[in-house]
Amino acid sequence: AGIGKCVALDLARRNARTILACRSRERGQAAVEEIRVATGNPAVLLRLLDTSSLASVRAFAQAVLREEKRLDVLVNNAGVTGLPFTITPEGLEQTFATNYLGPFLLTNLLLG
């Protein structure tokens, strides 16, 4: 939803192979279908990613590096605000992990 969905829609309109990295399979798949219909671009894909989980970030990056020939653009758009103080299973503060650590790790893993 929001900025991320708008960016994905614009990239798909430009006929780019577009990967939506979403926490929710249901919401992500709905966005994929909506973007495919709006753009006529069948190369809009869903991959699950939770940037608050470094294990999820590592698995996502590994899959992208394995499945994709190249990556031209990365848009780090995940973010949360206003959450109660929560520690992730990996021992990290959830907002910091989601907004900073996960995207930083993802970017570095995809640089190759």
Side-chain angles (χ1 to χ4, degrees):
I3 293 170
K5 186 175 173 186
C6 288
V7 170
L9 182 62
D10 187 61
L11 291 170
R13 278 193 179 122
R14 296 168 191 255
N15 207 32
R17 180 174 170 83
T18 306
I19 301 170
L20 279 68
C22 303
R23 281 181 304 196
S24 165
R25 182 178 303 278
E26 182 178 291
R27 290 180 61 208
Q29 193 58 47
V32 164
E33 296 303 326
E34 184 180 332
I35 292 169
R36 284 179 181 166
V37 168
T39 65
N41 183 344
V44 179
L45 311 170
L46 173 64
R47 298 291 181 263
L48 297 181
L49 171 63
D50 178 357
T51 59
S52 74
S53 163
L54 301 185
S56 176
V57 170
R58 290 180 196 286
F60 176 85
Q62 188 175 50
V64 168
L65 292 171
R66 183 179 59 248
E67 296 168 6
E68 303 298 325
K69 294 178 189 166
R70 62 188 236 202
L71 180 65
D72 295 310
V73 176
L74 174 65
V75 178
N76 281 315
N77 187 60
V80 295
T81 185
L83 297 179
F85 181 83
T86 306
I87 299 295
T88 69
E90 295 166 311
L92 305 167
E93 194 279 318
Q94 184 158 6
T95 301
F96 185 57
T98 301
N99 295 355
Y100 299 101
L101 298 177
F104 180 82
L105 177 61
L106 178 61
T107 299
N108 281 277
L109 291 173
L110 292 176
L111 285 173

